[in-house]
Amino acid sequence: MMSRFPLAVIGLALCGCASYRVLPSPAPATGLSPLPIRYQATRLWVFHSVREDGSVERVFVDPHDSMRVVVTLLRPEAAAYASSDGGASWTRASIPLEVPDSDERSQRSLSRPRLLAEVLFDARDGRRAWARARGRVFHTEDGGLAWAATPLAGIVALAQGVDGLLWAAGEGGLHVSDDGGRSWMHRPVHLPGAGADTRLRVRSLLLDQRGGRILLGVRDERSDSGPVAIATVLDGTSDAARAAFALVDATDAPPRALTAFGQGVTGVVETRDGGASWRRAGLALDAWLASADGALYAVAADPMIEAAFLVRAHPELATALAQQLNGLHVEAASLRPAFLFPHRDRLLAGPLAAAPVFRSTDGGATWVRVLSLEPALAASLRTIVDAQISAWEESPPQARGGERRAEHGPGTGENHPGPGRHGGRGGGRGRRGTAPEAIRTAPRAPSADALQAYLDPQRLLARFNSGLALTGMARAGAEFYAWAPTATHWDRLADAALAASDAEGEISLGPGATPAGPGAFTLLRSTDGGASWAEVAQGPEEFDGAERLRVQQSAPYPSWLAAGPREAFIGLAARDRTGPPWSETWRDSF
């Protein structure tokens, strides 16, 4: 006879097993309303309970049909659910996806997806879609109920042509499928004059539907610069830094047949025969690619170019950082001019306001610098570039070449926020009176990401906003949706950053929890392609119905947006002072 102990173990195991059924979502009301996730938990096939504490990670809406929705949940279980009726019913998706562990106290846990990063809906067949997660690609042909894995890995971009062909780019070059993703053909990038050992990383994929071309933004690994080399933009002592400033400062140059920065075959490459042959375009520069109104656009992505651009835009931060890298004390008051609240158009431009932008009207043969963008054009380009940046950051290290370590000591990232003697934290003062040294021999140089955060007020203040980006945007046709900080919240973040910098004697990168207070952000909607924006009406405590945030003394802030026809979904996140995160999803129907 079986002993009591094994029976007890079996009983506990059965009690620990549960199945879940997500219940219908409430019908959307006009205006803002919460999107609670109610689910039924069943244990031992008998005991049922209904709970309302489901947690949404992301919502993906078919831009052609807002009734088709895919959501990823983190609670009650890490899984994907699909709906073909706008959430009136949900079905758990079968998808062979491994869910990585996550540190909930990490700033990135509030904004980086653990499950699906992108869902591309077939424009010709509403039941077909493709998903990307950590470089892998999955496809479905039944509206998202069953997904199959493809053999692709290291993918950073997906796109569908008007002819229905599906393209994927990333590690290994370009891949194409003519059967909906069931099988793939590899199209490696071979350029005339490039050696067989040339290693390229694809950053951007653009289908030029009018010209029948495919353009890739690629980076030759020989163009990679270490942290110390990139930091020379602060004093202009290297040839690369001087070349970067020459490109950034050339604001009145006519269209040129070759705008170059970097080594090897870094730049824009194109194919007119589906990847059988390749050639270089007139922009030999690491960049994000986009198109609008028949023109091609490129936003510089080389860390050295971005840093040079930010040095010119924010000299107060550049001067202070140069002092900091040389071991000198930084007066926090000197940073105040860099934190003046910017105009809304600049906020909504996002990454386009932090790097040089180039345009080509002759198919990429010649390029000219763009000094200003109309709001509608900026919105159109931003949504494209934002998606590429998110895909790049989410992709596995092998697809983007990983991160180089600092030449002198550990790099400065989330766990190493500052290059000073105290590592940017600890409340100590910088080293007063230390004799300046050349930046290239400083004891520690910041990573490229940290350097850009030091020099860019938006990225720096995001570190004090629980790591959440200060602005974001989503698009469905001519309808755009965005969020931006209010002037009051911007000043709260600036005060927090300056107080931390004063305590440390150097520019502080946080991290800091979002300061509590009403009116942290404004939701914006555009129905004319981004030409004009209207505020979405919201009360002072619109997103604190349960008064949880008031108790926790933290403020909710958007972490993501998803837009569909006449509807948008807003993911809100917050972190209390002890670290655990909080999230909620709302929808706006109009």
Side-chain angles (χ1 to χ4, degrees), residues 234-255:
L234 297 174
D235 58 8
T237 55
S238 71
D239 291 340
R242 287 189 286 270
F245 281 119
L247 191 149
V248 167
D249 295 338
T251 58
D252 58 352

Side-chain angles (χ1 to χ4, degrees), residues 116-249:
L116 301 181
E118 175 188 8
V119 175
L120 175 65
F121 294 89
D122 193 329
R124 299 155 53 127
D125 181 354
R127 295 179 58 80
R128 178 180 288 177
W130 304 276
R132 185 180 51 78
R134 294 182 301 284
R136 298 186 63 197
V137 177
F138 306 85
H139 72 93
T140 180
E141 298 183 2
D142 59 6
L145 303 183
W147 297 78
T150 72
L152 301 183
I155 298 301
V156 299
L158 290 172
Q160 185 183 23
V162 294
D163 54 4
L165 292 179
L166 182 64
W167 300 89
E171 181 185 3
L174 189 67
H175 308 266
V176 60
S177 174
D178 59 5
D179 57 7
R182 290 188 294 270
S183 63
W184 295 83
M185 293 169 283
H186 184 209
R187 297 288 186 264
V189 180
H190 294 308
L191 291 167
D197 59 343
T198 299
R199 298 188 62 184
L200 301 178
R201 298 199 301 274
V202 177
R203 186 186 289 277
S204 185
L205 165 65
L206 178 63
L207 303 185
D208 182 7
Q209 309 287 14
R210 295 184 180 183
R213 301 177 304 159
I214 302 172
L215 294 95
L216 298 179
V218 301
R219 181 175 179 85
D220 193 316
E221 289 193 355
R222 289 172 291 181
S223 292
D224 289 353
S225 301
V228 169
I230 296 174
T232 59
V233 297
L234 297 174
D235 58 8
T237 55
S238 71
D239 291 340
R242 287 189 286 270
F245 281 119
L247 191 149
V248 167
D249 295 338

Side-chain angles (χ1 to χ4, degrees), residues 25 40 48 71 79 122 129 171 178 193 195 203 216 223 227 288 333 425 436 444 456 473 494 501-502 534 560 564 583:
S25 301
Q40 182 184 71
H48 305 283
V71 302
D122 193 329
E171 181 185 3
D178 59 5
R203 186 186 289 277
L216 298 179
S223 292
W288 311 106
R425 298 297 291 169
R444 178 184 295 171
D456 185 353
M473 190 177 295
S501 298
D502 182 62
W560 56 265
S583 65

Side-chain angles (χ1 to χ4, degrees), residues 131-495:
R132 185 180 51 78
R134 294 182 301 284
R136 298 186 63 197
V137 177
F138 306 85
H139 72 93
T140 180
E141 298 183 2
D142 59 6
L145 303 183
W147 297 78
T150 72
L152 301 183
I155 298 301
V156 299
L158 290 172
Q160 185 183 23
V162 294
D163 54 4
L165 292 179
L166 182 64
W167 300 89
E171 181 185 3
L174 189 67
H175 308 266
V176 60
S177 174
D178 59 5
D179 57 7
R182 290 188 294 270
S183 63
W184 295 83
M185 293 169 283
H186 184 209
R187 297 288 186 264
V189 180
H190 294 308
L191 291 167
D197 59 343
T198 299
R199 298 188 62 184
L200 301 178
R201 298 199 301 274
V202 177
R203 186 186 289 277
S204 185
L205 165 65
L206 178 63
L207 303 185
D208 182 7
Q209 309 287 14
R210 295 184 180 183
R213 301 177 304 159
I214 302 172
L215 294 95
L216 298 179
V218 301
R219 181 175 179 85
D220 193 316
E221 289 193 355
R222 289 172 291 181
S223 292
D224 289 353
S225 301
V228 169
I230 296 174
T232 59
V233 297
L234 297 174
D235 58 8
T237 55
S238 71
D239 291 340
R242 287 189 286 270
F245 281 119
L247 191 149
V248 167
D249 295 338
T251 58
D252 58 352
R256 292 188 288 182
L258 181 62
T259 299
F261 185 89
Q263 299 183 30
V265 295
T266 293
V268 180
V269 300
E270 67 172 30
T271 177
R272 296 174 180 267
D273 52 16
S277 62
W278 296 85
R279 69 177 185 178
R280 301 186 67 177
L283 187 70
L285 175 72
D286 186 14
W288 311 106
L289 303 178
S291 63
D293 302 327
L296 301 177
Y297 291 86
V299 181
D302 186 282
M304 183 80 79
I305 296 294
E306 288 189 83
F309 184 90
L310 293 171
V311 166
R312 293 290 193 244
H314 308 290
E316 302 90 353
L317 292 176
T319 298
L321 182 56
Q323 295 173 344
Q324 182 170 318
L325 287 174
N326 284 315
L328 300 179
H329 174 78
V330 172
E331 293 292 341
S334 69
L335 307 178
R336 175 67 73 174
F339 295 117
L340 296 178
F341 184 66
H343 190 274
R344 177 185 288 176
D345 287 347
R346 184 175 182 84
L347 285 171
L348 293 183
L352 278 70
V357 180
F358 301 87
R359 179 179 61 232
S360 174
T361 57
D362 55 10
T366 61
W367 297 78
V368 65
R369 177 80 176 276
V370 180
L371 300 182
S372 64
L373 295 167
E374 293 296 323
L377 178 58
S380 178
L381 298 179
R382 178 186 177 167
T383 54
I384 298 172
V385 173
D386 272 350
Q388 296 178 25
I389 293 175
S390 296
W392 180 263
E393 292 178 344
E394 183 270 344
S395 63
Q398 64 268 25
R400 48 189 166 88
E403 297 289 343
R404 283 200 175 191
R405 297 180 181 273
E407 283 91 330
H408 301 277
T412 55
E414 187 171 358
N415 298 322
H416 302 278
R421 185 177 182 180
H422 301 285
R425 298 297 291 169
R429 289 279 180 178
R431 292 171 288 170
R432 296 179 180 270
T434 303
E437 304 172 84
I439 288 175
R440 63 172 58 89
T441 60
R444 178 184 295 171
S447 68
D449 287 344
L451 181 69
Q452 290 163 8
Y454 279 121
L455 297 173
D456 185 353
Q458 281 201 52
R459 274 181 270 201
L460 196 154
L461 294 186
R463 299 287 187 114
F464 292 86
N465 196 43
S466 297
L468 299 172
L470 297 187
T471 70
M473 190 177 295
R475 175 183 187 178
E479 298 168 3
F480 286 77
Y481 213 89
W483 80 79
T486 61
T488 299
H489 187 62
W490 177 282
D491 290 342
R492 285 196 293 252
L493 294 173
D495 290 343

